[in-house]
Coordinates of all heavy atoms in Angstrom, one line a residue:
A252 N 17.4 4.7 -4.1 CA 17.5 3.3 -4.1 C 17.8 2.8 -2.7 O 17.4 1.7 -2.4 CB 18.7 2.9 -5.0
G253 N 18.3 3.6 -1.8 CA 18.5 3.2 -0.4 C 17.3 3.4 0.5 O 17.3 3.1 1.7
D254 N 16.2 3.9 0.0 CA 15.0 4.1 0.8 C 14.2 2.8 0.8 O 13.5 2.5 -0.2 CB 14.1 5.2 0.2 CG 13.1 5.7 1.2 OD1 13.0 5.2 2.3 OD2 12.3 6.6 0.8
T255 N 14.4 2.0 1.8 CA 13.7 0.7 1.9 C 12.7 0.6 2.9 O 12.6 1.5 3.8 CB 14.8 -0.4 2.1 OG1 15.3 -0.2 3.5 CG2 15.9 -0.4 1.1
M256 N 11.9 -0.5 2.9 CA 10.9 -0.7 3.9 C 11.5 -0.7 5.3 O 10.9 -0.1 6.3 CB 10.2 -2.0 3.7 CG 9.5 -2.2 2.4 SD 8.0 -1.1 2.3 CE 7.0 -1.9 3.4
G257 N 12.7 -1.2 5.5 CA 13.3 -1.3 6.8 C 14.0 -0.1 7.3 O 14.5 0.0 8.4
S258 N 14.1 1.0 6.5 CA 14.9 2.2 6.9 C 14.0 3.2 7.6 O 14.4 4.3 7.8 CB 15.6 2.8 5.6 OG 14.6 3.3 4.7
H259 N 12.8 2.9 7.9 CA 11.8 3.8 8.6 C 11.4 3.2 9.9 O 10.4 2.5 10.0 CB 10.6 4.1 7.7 CG 11.0 4.8 6.4 ND1 11.2 6.1 6.3 CD2 11.3 4.3 5.2 CE1 11.5 6.5 5.1 NE2 11.6 5.4 4.4
S260 N 12.1 3.6 11.0 CA 11.8 3.1 12.3 C 10.4 3.5 12.7 O 10.0 4.6 12.5 CB 12.8 3.7 13.3 OG 12.5 3.3 14.6
G261 N 9.7 2.6 13.2 CA 8.3 2.9 13.7 C 7.3 2.5 12.7 O 6.1 2.5 13.0
W262 N 7.6 2.3 11.4 CA 6.7 2.0 10.4 C 6.5 0.4 10.4 O 7.5 -0.3 10.6 CB 7.1 2.4 9.0 CG 7.1 3.8 8.7 CD1 6.8 4.8 9.6 CD2 7.4 4.4 7.5 NE1 6.9 6.1 9.0 CE2 7.2 5.8 7.7 CE3 7.7 4.0 6.2 CZ2 7.4 6.8 6.6 CZ3 7.9 4.9 5.2 CH2 7.7 6.3 5.4
A263 N 5.3 0.0 10.2 CA 5.0 -1.5 10.2 C 4.0 -1.8 9.1 O 2.9 -1.1 9.1 CB 4.6 -2.0 11.5
E264 N 4.3 -2.7 8.3 CA 3.3 -3.1 7.3 C 2.3 -4.0 8.0 O 2.6 -5.0 8.7 CB 4.0 -3.9 6.2 CG 3.1 -4.5 5.1 CD 3.7 -5.3 4.1 OE1 5.0 -5.5 4.1 OE2 3.0 -5.8 3.2
K265 N 1.0 -3.7 7.8 CA 0.0 -4.6 8.3 C -0.3 -5.7 7.2 O -0.6 -5.4 6.1 CB -1.3 -3.8 8.5 CG -1.2 -2.6 9.4 CD -0.9 -3.0 10.8 CE -0.9 -1.8 11.7 NZ -0.5 -2.0 13.0
T266 N -0.1 -6.9 7.6 CA -0.2 -8.1 6.7 C -1.5 -8.9 6.9 O -1.6 -10.0 6.4 CB 1.0 -9.0 6.8 OG1 1.1 -9.5 8.1 CG2 2.3 -8.3 6.4
G267 N -2.4 -8.3 7.6 CA -3.7 -9.0 7.9 C -4.7 -8.9 6.8 O -5.8 -8.4 7.0
Y268 N -4.2 -9.3 5.6 CA -5.1 -9.3 4.4 C -5.0 -10.7 3.8 O -3.9 -11.3 3.9 CB -4.9 -8.1 3.5 CG -3.5 -7.9 3.0 CD1 -3.1 -8.4 1.8 CD2 -2.6 -7.1 3.7 CE1 -1.8 -8.2 1.3 CE2 -1.4 -6.9 3.2 CZ -1.0 -7.4 2.0 OH 0.3 -7.2 1.6
S269 N -6.0 -11.1 3.1 CA -6.0 -12.5 2.6 C -5.2 -12.8 1.4 O -4.9 -13.9 1.1 CB -7.5 -13.0 2.4 OG -8.1 -12.2 1.4
Q270 N -4.8 -11.8 0.6 CA -4.0 -12.0 -0.6 C -2.6 -12.6 -0.1 O -2.1 -12.2 0.9 CB -3.8 -10.7 -1.4 CG -5.0 -10.2 -2.1 CD -5.9 -9.4 -1.2 OE1 -5.8 -9.3 0.0 NE2 -6.9 -8.7 -1.8
S271 N -2.1 -13.5 -0.9 CA -0.9 -14.2 -0.5 C 0.4 -13.3 -0.7 O 1.4 -13.5 -0.1 CB -0.7 -15.5 -1.2 OG -0.6 -15.3 -2.6
T272 N 0.2 -12.3 -1.6 CA 1.3 -11.3 -1.8 C 0.7 -9.9 -1.8 O -0.6 -9.8 -1.8 CB 2.0 -11.6 -3.2 OG1 1.0 -11.4 -4.2 CG2 2.6 -12.9 -3.3
R273 N 1.5 -8.9 -1.8 CA 1.0 -7.6 -1.9 C 0.3 -7.4 -3.3 O 0.9 -7.8 -4.3 CB 2.2 -6.6 -1.9 CG 2.9 -6.6 -0.5 CD 4.1 -5.7 -0.6 NE 4.8 -5.7 0.7 CZ 6.1 -5.5 0.8 NH1 6.9 -5.2 -0.2 NH2 6.7 -5.5 2.0
P274 N -0.9 -6.9 -3.3 CA -1.5 -6.7 -4.6 C -0.7 -5.8 -5.6 O -0.1 -4.9 -5.1 CB -2.9 -6.1 -4.2 CG -3.1 -6.5 -2.8 CD -1.7 -6.5 -2.2
A275 N -0.8 -6.2 -6.8 CA 0.0 -5.4 -7.9 C -0.8 -4.1 -8.2 O -2.0 -4.0 -8.1 CB 0.1 -6.2 -9.1
V276 N 0.0 -3.1 -8.5 CA -0.5 -1.8 -8.8 C -0.4 -1.6 -10.4 O 0.6 -1.9 -10.9 CB 0.3 -0.6 -8.2 CG1 -0.2 0.7 -8.6 CG2 0.3 -0.8 -6.7
A277 N -1.5 -1.2 -11.0 CA -1.5 -0.9 -12.5 C -1.8 0.5 -12.7 O -2.6 1.1 -12.0 CB -2.5 -1.8 -13.2
F278 N -1.1 1.1 -13.6 CA -1.2 2.6 -13.8 C -1.8 2.9 -15.2 O -1.5 2.2 -16.2 CB 0.1 3.3 -13.7 CG 0.7 3.3 -12.3 CD1 1.6 2.4 -11.9 CD2 0.3 4.3 -11.4 CE1 2.0 2.4 -10.6 CE2 0.7 4.3 -10.1 CZ 1.6 3.4 -9.7
S279 N -2.6 3.9 -15.3 CA -3.1 4.5 -16.5 C -2.0 5.3 -17.2 O -1.0 5.6 -16.5 CB -4.3 5.4 -16.3 OG -5.4 4.6 -15.7
A280 N -2.2 5.7 -18.4 CA -1.3 6.6 -19.1 C -1.2 8.0 -18.3 O -2.2 8.4 -17.7 CB -1.7 6.8 -20.5
A281 N 0.0 8.6 -18.4 CA 0.1 9.9 -17.7 C -0.8 10.9 -18.4 O -1.0 10.8 -19.6 CB 1.6 10.3 -17.8
S282 N -1.3 11.9 -17.6 CA -2.2 12.9 -18.2 C -2.0 14.1 -17.3 O -2.1 14.1 -16.1 CB -3.6 12.4 -18.2 OG -4.5 13.4 -18.6
S283 N -1.8 15.3 -18.0 CA -1.7 16.6 -17.3 C -0.7 16.6 -16.1 O -1.0 17.1 -15.1 CB -3.1 17.0 -16.8 OG -4.0 17.1 -17.9
G284 N 0.4 15.9 -16.3 CA 1.4 15.9 -15.3 C 1.2 14.9 -14.2 O 1.9 15.0 -13.1
S285 N 0.2 14.0 -14.3 CA -0.1 13.1 -13.2 C -0.1 11.7 -13.8 O -0.3 11.4 -15.0 CB -1.5 13.4 -12.6 OG -1.5 14.6 -12.0
K286 N 0.1 10.7 -12.9 CA 0.0 9.3 -13.2 C -0.8 8.7 -12.1 O -0.5 8.8 -10.9 CB 1.4 8.7 -13.2 CG 1.5 7.3 -13.7 CD 1.9 7.2 -15.1 CE 2.2 5.8 -15.5 NZ 1.9 5.5 -16.9
A287 N -1.9 8.0 -12.5 CA -2.8 7.4 -11.5 C -3.0 5.9 -11.7 O -2.8 5.4 -12.8 CB -4.1 8.1 -11.5
T288 N -3.4 5.2 -10.6 CA -3.8 3.8 -10.8 C -4.9 3.7 -11.8 O -5.8 4.6 -11.8 CB -4.2 3.2 -9.4 OG1 -5.2 4.1 -8.8 CG2 -3.0 3.1 -8.5
S289 N -4.9 2.6 -12.6 CA -6.0 2.4 -13.6 C -7.2 1.9 -12.9 O -8.3 2.0 -13.4 CB -5.5 1.5 -14.7 OG -5.1 0.3 -14.1
S290 N -7.1 1.3 -11.7 CA -8.2 0.8 -10.9 C -7.7 0.8 -9.5 O -6.5 0.8 -9.2 CB -8.8 -0.5 -11.4 OG -7.8 -1.5 -11.3
A291 N -8.7 0.7 -8.5 CA -8.3 0.6 -7.1 C -7.6 -0.7 -6.8 O -7.9 -1.7 -7.5 CB -9.6 0.7 -6.3
V292 N -6.6 -0.6 -5.9 CA -6.0 -1.8 -5.5 C -6.7 -2.3 -4.2 O -6.9 -1.5 -3.3 CB -4.5 -1.6 -5.1 CG1 -3.8 -2.8 -4.6 CG2 -3.8 -1.0 -6.3
S293 N -7.2 -3.5 -4.2 CA -8.1 -4.0 -3.2 C -7.4 -5.0 -2.2 O -6.6 -5.8 -2.6 CB -9.3 -4.8 -3.8 OG -10.1 -3.9 -4.5
F294 N -7.7 -4.8 -0.9 CA -7.1 -5.6 0.1 C -8.3 -6.2 0.9 O -9.1 -5.5 1.4 CB -6.3 -4.8 1.1 CG -5.1 -4.2 0.5 CD1 -5.1 -3.0 -0.2 CD2 -3.8 -4.8 0.6 CE1 -4.0 -2.4 -0.8 CE2 -2.7 -4.3 0.0 CZ -2.8 -3.1 -0.7
S295 N -8.4 -7.6 1.0 CA -9.4 -8.3 1.7 C -8.9 -8.5 3.1 O -8.1 -9.4 3.3 CB -9.7 -9.6 1.0 OG -10.1 -9.4 -0.3
I296 N -9.5 -7.8 4.0 CA -9.0 -7.8 5.4 C -9.4 -9.0 6.2 O -10.5 -9.4 6.1 CB -9.5 -6.5 6.1 CG1 -9.1 -5.2 5.4 CG2 -8.9 -6.4 7.6 CD1 -7.6 -5.0 5.1
N297 N -8.4 -9.6 6.9 CA -8.7 -10.8 7.7 C -8.3 -10.6 9.2 O -8.1 -11.6 9.9 CB -8.2 -12.1 7.1 CG -6.7 -12.1 6.9 OD1 -6.0 -11.3 7.5 ND2 -6.2 -13.0 6.2
A298 N -8.1 -9.4 9.6 CA -7.7 -9.1 11.0 C -8.1 -7.7 11.4 O -8.5 -6.9 10.5 CB -6.1 -9.2 11.1
T299 N -8.1 -7.4 12.7 CA -8.4 -6.1 13.2 C -7.2 -5.3 13.2 O -6.1 -5.8 13.7 CB -9.1 -6.2 14.6 OG1 -10.3 -6.9 14.5 CG2 -9.4 -4.8 15.1
A300 N -7.2 -4.1 12.7 CA -6.0 -3.2 12.6 C -6.5 -1.8 12.4 O -7.6 -1.5 12.0 CB -5.1 -3.7 11.5
T301 N -5.5 -0.9 12.6 CA -5.7 0.5 12.2 C -4.7 0.8 11.1 O -3.5 0.6 11.3 CB -5.4 1.5 13.4 OG1 -6.3 1.2 14.4 CG2 -5.6 2.9 12.9
I302 N -5.2 1.2 9.9 CA -4.4 1.4 8.7 C -4.3 2.9 8.5 O -5.3 3.6 8.4 CB -5.0 0.7 7.5 CG1 -5.4 -0.7 7.8 CG2 -4.1 0.9 6.3 CD1 -4.2 -1.6 8.1
G303 N -3.0 3.4 8.4 CA -2.8 4.8 8.3 C -2.5 5.3 6.9 O -2.5 6.5 6.6
G304 N -2.1 4.4 6.0 CA -1.8 4.8 4.6 C -1.4 3.6 3.8 O -1.7 2.5 4.1
A305 N -0.7 3.9 2.7 CA -0.3 2.9 1.8 C 1.1 3.2 1.2 O 1.6 4.3 1.3 CB -1.3 2.8 0.6
F306 N 1.7 2.2 0.5 CA 3.0 2.4 -0.1 C 3.1 1.6 -1.4 O 2.3 0.7 -1.6 CB 4.1 1.9 0.9 CG 4.1 0.5 1.2 CD1 4.7 -0.5 0.4 CD2 3.4 0.0 2.3 CE1 4.7 -1.8 0.7 CE2 3.4 -1.3 2.6 CZ 4.0 -2.2 1.8
V307 N 4.0 2.1 -2.2 CA 4.3 1.3 -3.5 C 5.8 0.9 -3.4 O 6.7 1.8 -3.1 CB 4.1 2.2 -4.7 CG1 4.5 1.5 -6.0 CG2 2.7 2.7 -4.8
A308 N 6.0 -0.4 -3.5 CA 7.4 -0.9 -3.4 C 7.7 -1.9 -4.5 O 6.7 -2.3 -5.3 CB 7.6 -1.6 -2.0
N309 N 8.9 -2.3 -4.7 CA 9.3 -3.1 -5.8 C 9.3 -4.6 -5.5 O 10.0 -5.4 -6.2 CB 10.7 -2.7 -6.4 CG 11.8 -3.0 -5.5 OD1 11.6 -3.2 -4.3 ND2 13.0 -3.0 -6.0
N310 N 8.7 -5.0 -4.4 CA 8.7 -6.4 -4.1 C 7.3 -6.8 -3.6 O 6.7 -6.1 -2.8 CB 9.7 -6.7 -3.0 CG 9.9 -8.2 -2.7 OD1 8.9 -8.9 -2.5 ND2 11.1 -8.6 -2.5
S311 N 6.7 -7.9 -4.1 CA 5.4 -8.3 -3.7 C 5.3 -9.2 -2.5 O 4.2 -9.6 -2.0 CB 4.7 -9.0 -4.9 OG 5.4 -10.3 -5.1
T312 N 6.4 -9.5 -1.8 CA 6.4 -10.4 -0.6 C 5.9 -9.6 0.6 O 6.5 -8.6 1.0 CB 7.8 -10.9 -0.4 OG1 8.3 -11.6 -1.5 CG2 7.8 -11.9 0.8
K313 N 4.8 -10.1 1.1 CA 4.2 -9.5 2.3 C 5.2 -9.5 3.5 O 5.8 -10.5 3.8 CB 2.9 -10.2 2.8 CG 1.7 -10.0 1.9 CD 0.6 -10.9 2.2 CE 0.0 -10.8 3.5 NZ -1.3 -11.6 3.6
G314 N 5.3 -8.4 4.2 CA 6.1 -8.3 5.4 C 7.6 -8.2 5.2 O 8.3 -7.9 6.2
E315 N 8.1 -8.3 4.0 CA 9.6 -8.2 3.8 C 10.0 -6.7 4.0 O 9.2 -5.8 3.8 CB 10.1 -8.8 2.5 CG 9.6 -8.1 1.3 CD 10.3 -6.8 1.0 OE1 11.5 -6.7 1.2 OE2 9.6 -5.9 0.5
T316 N 11.2 -6.4 4.3 CA 11.7 -5.1 4.6 C 12.8 -4.5 3.8 O 13.3 -3.4 4.0 CB 12.1 -4.9 6.1 OG1 13.1 -5.8 6.3 CG2 10.9 -5.3 7.0
S317 N 13.2 -5.3 2.8 CA 14.4 -4.8 2.0 C 14.0 -4.2 0.6 O 14.9 -3.7 -0.1 CB 15.3 -6.0 1.7 OG 14.7 -7.0 1.0
S318 N 12.7 -4.2 0.3 CA 12.3 -3.6 -1.0 C 12.5 -2.1 -1.1 O 12.4 -1.5 0.0 CB 10.9 -4.0 -1.4 OG 10.0 -3.5 -0.4
T319 N 12.7 -1.6 -2.2 CA 12.8 -0.2 -2.4 C 11.4 0.5 -2.4 O 10.5 0.0 -3.1 CB 13.5 0.2 -3.8 OG1 14.8 -0.4 -3.7 CG2 13.6 1.6 -4.0
L320 N 11.3 1.5 -1.7 CA 10.0 2.3 -1.6 C 10.0 3.3 -2.8 O 10.9 4.1 -3.0 CB 9.8 3.0 -0.3 CG 9.6 2.1 0.9 CD1 9.7 3.0 2.2 CD2 8.2 1.5 0.8
Y321 N 8.9 3.2 -3.6 CA 8.8 4.2 -4.6 C 7.9 5.4 -4.1 O 8.2 6.6 -4.5 CB 8.1 3.6 -5.9 CG 8.9 2.6 -6.6 CD1 8.4 1.3 -6.8 CD2 10.2 2.9 -7.0 CE1 9.2 0.4 -7.4 CE2 10.9 1.9 -7.7 CZ 10.4 0.7 -7.9 OH 11.2 -0.3 -8.5
S322 N 7.0 5.1 -3.2 CA 6.1 6.2 -2.7 C 5.5 5.7 -1.4 O 5.2 4.5 -1.3 CB 5.1 6.6 -3.7 OG 4.3 7.6 -3.3
V323 N 5.2 6.6 -0.5 CA 4.5 6.3 0.7 C 3.6 7.5 1.0 O 4.0 8.6 0.8 CB 5.5 6.1 1.9 CG1 4.8 5.9 3.2 CG2 6.4 5.0 1.6
G324 N 2.4 7.2 1.5 CA 1.5 8.3 1.9 C 0.5 7.9 2.9 O 0.0 6.8 2.9
A325 N 0.1 8.9 3.7 CA -1.0 8.7 4.6 C -2.3 8.9 3.8 O -2.4 9.6 2.8 CB -1.0 9.8 5.7
F326 N -3.4 8.2 4.3 CA -4.7 8.3 3.6 C -5.2 9.7 3.8 O -5.1 10.3 4.9 CB -5.7 7.3 4.3 CG -5.4 5.9 3.9 CD1 -5.7 4.9 4.9 CD2 -5.0 5.5 2.7 CE1 -5.5 3.6 4.6 CE2 -4.8 4.1 2.4 CZ -5.0 3.2 3.4
T327 N -5.8 10.3 2.8 CA -6.3 11.6 2.8 C -7.5 11.7 3.8 O -7.8 12.8 4.3 CB -6.7 12.2 1.4 OG1 -7.7 11.3 0.9 CG2 -5.5 12.3 0.5
V328 N -8.2 10.6 4.0 CA -9.3 10.6 4.9 C -9.0 10.2 6.4 O -9.8 10.1 7.2 CB -10.4 9.6 4.4 CG1 -11.0 10.1 3.1 CG2 -9.9 8.2 4.3
G329 N -7.7 10.1 6.6 CA -7.2 9.7 8.0 C -7.1 8.2 8.2 O -7.3 7.4 7.2
D330 N -6.8 7.8 9.4 CA -6.7 6.4 9.7 C -8.0 5.6 9.5 O -9.0 6.2 9.7 CB -6.2 6.2 11.2 CG -4.8 6.6 11.4 OD1 -4.1 7.0 10.5 OD2 -4.4 6.6 12.6
K331 N -7.9 4.4 9.1 CA -9.0 3.5 8.9 C -8.9 2.3 9.8 O -7.9 1.6 9.8 CB -9.0 3.1 7.4 CG -10.1 2.1 7.1 CD -11.5 2.7 7.1 CE -12.6 1.7 6.7 NZ -13.9 2.0 7.2
I332 N -9.9 2.1 10.7 CA -10.0 1.0 11.5 C -10.7 -0.1 10.7 O -11.8 0.1 10.2 CB -10.7 1.3 12.8 CG1 -9.9 2.3 13.6 CG2 -10.9 0.0 13.7 CD1 -10.7 2.9 14.8
V333 N -10.1 -1.3 10.6 CA -10.7 -2.4 9.9 C -10.8 -3.6 10.7 O -10.1 -3.8 11.7 CB -9.8 -2.7 8.6 CG1 -9.7 -1.5 7.7 CG2 -8.4 -3.1 9.0
T334 N -11.7 -4.5 10.3 CA -11.9 -5.8 11.0 C -12.0 -6.8 9.9 O -12.3 -6.5 8.7 CB -13.2 -5.8 11.9 OG1 -14.3 -5.5 11.1 CG2 -13.0 -4.8 13.0
S335 N -11.9 -8.1 10.3 CA -12.1 -9.2 9.4 C -13.4 -9.1 8.6 O -14.4 -8.8 9.1 CB -12.0 -10.5 10.1 OG -12.0 -11.6 9.2
G336 N -13.2 -9.3 7.3 CA -14.4 -9.2 6.4 C -14.5 -7.8 5.6 O -15.2 -7.7 4.6
D337 N -13.7 -6.8 6.1 CA -13.7 -5.5 5.4 C -12.8 -5.6 4.1 O -12.0 -6.5 4.0 CB -13.1 -4.4 6.3 CG -14.0 -4.0 7.4 OD1 -15.2 -4.4 7.4 OD2 -13.5 -3.3 8.4
T338 N -13.0 -4.7 3.2 CA -12.2 -4.5 2.1 C -11.7 -3.1 2.0 O -12.6 -2.2 2.2 CB -13.0 -4.9 0.8 OG1 -13.4 -6.2 0.8 CG2 -12.1 -4.6 -0.5
I339 N -10.5 -2.9 1.8 CA -9.9 -1.5 1.6 C -9.6 -1.4 0.1 O -8.9 -2.3 -0.5 CB -8.7 -1.3 2.4 CG1 -9.0 -1.2 3.9 CG2 -8.0 0.0 2.0 CD1 -7.8 -0.9 4.8
N340 N -10.1 -0.4 -0.6 CA -9.8 -0.1 -2.0 C -8.9 1.2 -2.0 O -9.4 2.2 -1.5 CB -11.0 0.1 -2.8 CG -11.8 -1.2 -2.8 OD1 -11.3 -2.2 -3.2 ND2 -13.1 -1.1 -2.4
V341 N -7.7 1.1 -2.5 CA -6.8 2.2 -2.5 C -6.5 2.7 -3.9 O -6.2 1.8 -4.8 CB -5.4 1.8 -1.8 CG1 -4.4 2.9 -1.8 CG2 -5.6 1.2 -0.4
T342 N -6.6 4.0 -4.1 CA -6.2 4.6 -5.4 C -5.0 5.5 -5.1 O -4.8 5.9 -4.0 CB -7.3 5.4 -6.0 OG1 -7.8 6.4 -5.1 CG2 -8.5 4.5 -6.4
Y343 N -4.3 5.8 -6.2 CA -3.0 6.5 -6.0 C -2.8 7.4 -7.2 O -3.0 7.0 -8.3 CB -1.8 5.5 -5.9 CG -0.5 6.1 -5.9 CD1 0.1 6.5 -4.7 CD2 0.3 6.2 -7.1 CE1 1.4 7.0 -4.7 CE2 1.5 6.7 -7.1 CZ 2.1 7.1 -5.9 OH 3.4 7.7 -5.9
T344 N -2.4 8.6 -7.0 CA -2.0 9.5 -8.0 C -0.7 10.2 -7.7 O -0.6 10.8 -6.6 CB -3.1 10.6 -8.3 OG1 -4.4 10.0 -8.5 CG2 -2.8 11.5 -9.4
A345 N 0.2 10.2 -8.6 CA 1.5 10.9 -8.5 C 1.5 12.1 -9.4 O 1.1 11.9 -10.6 CB 2.7 10.0 -8.8
S346 N 1.9 13.2 -8.9 CA 1.9 14.5 -9.7 C 3.2 15.1 -9.7 O 4.0 15.0 -8.8 CB 0.9 15.5 -9.2 OG -0.4 14.9 -9.1
A347 N 3.6 15.7 -10.9 CA 4.8 16.4 -11.0 C 4.8 17.7 -10.4 O 3.9 18.3 -10.1 CB 5.2 16.5 -12.5

């Protein structure tokens, strides 16, 4: 419960996407010890940035730092350089 957005020095949420809040994550039913997103979470990019990964938190307010982190991870394909007009589609799977 004490693992929050603000407790990781050097981490910064990139808020250069057009959605007014953090997009919601929806999950499929658990299967074979894993739980995965039921569809990709899409971000419509409106700024130039380098994105290194994604996180799941309990607050949808962009840029806030007090929400509890449920999970954080680097992209398996490495950093992604984005520019205005790009879309990032993120999928997530948690395994036991």
Side-chain angles (χ1 to χ4, degrees):
D254 193 6
T255 66
M256 298 291 293
S258 65
H259 296 276
S260 178
W262 289 7
E264 177 181 1
K265 304 294 185 186
T266 58
Y268 53 94
S269 63
Q270 291 84 349
S271 60
T272 61
R273 296 172 180 154
V276 178
F278 290 96
S279 298
S282 175
S283 302
S285 294
K286 186 100 169 146
T288 50
S289 55
S290 61
V292 179
S293 294
F294 296 83
S295 301
I296 305 302
N297 61 12
T299 299
T301 300
I302 311 296
F306 62 89
V307 179
N309 70 340
N310 187 315
S311 66
T312 303
K313 287 169 64 171
E315 65 76 39
T316 60
S317 62
S318 63
T319 300
L320 290 170
Y321 294 124
S322 184
V323 176
F326 291 144
T327 57
V328 296
D330 290 355
K331 175 70 176 158
I332 298 170
V333 297
T334 59
S335 186
D337 288 347
T338 300
I339 292 182
N340 295 306
V341 179
T342 59
Y343 173 85
T344 302
S346 301

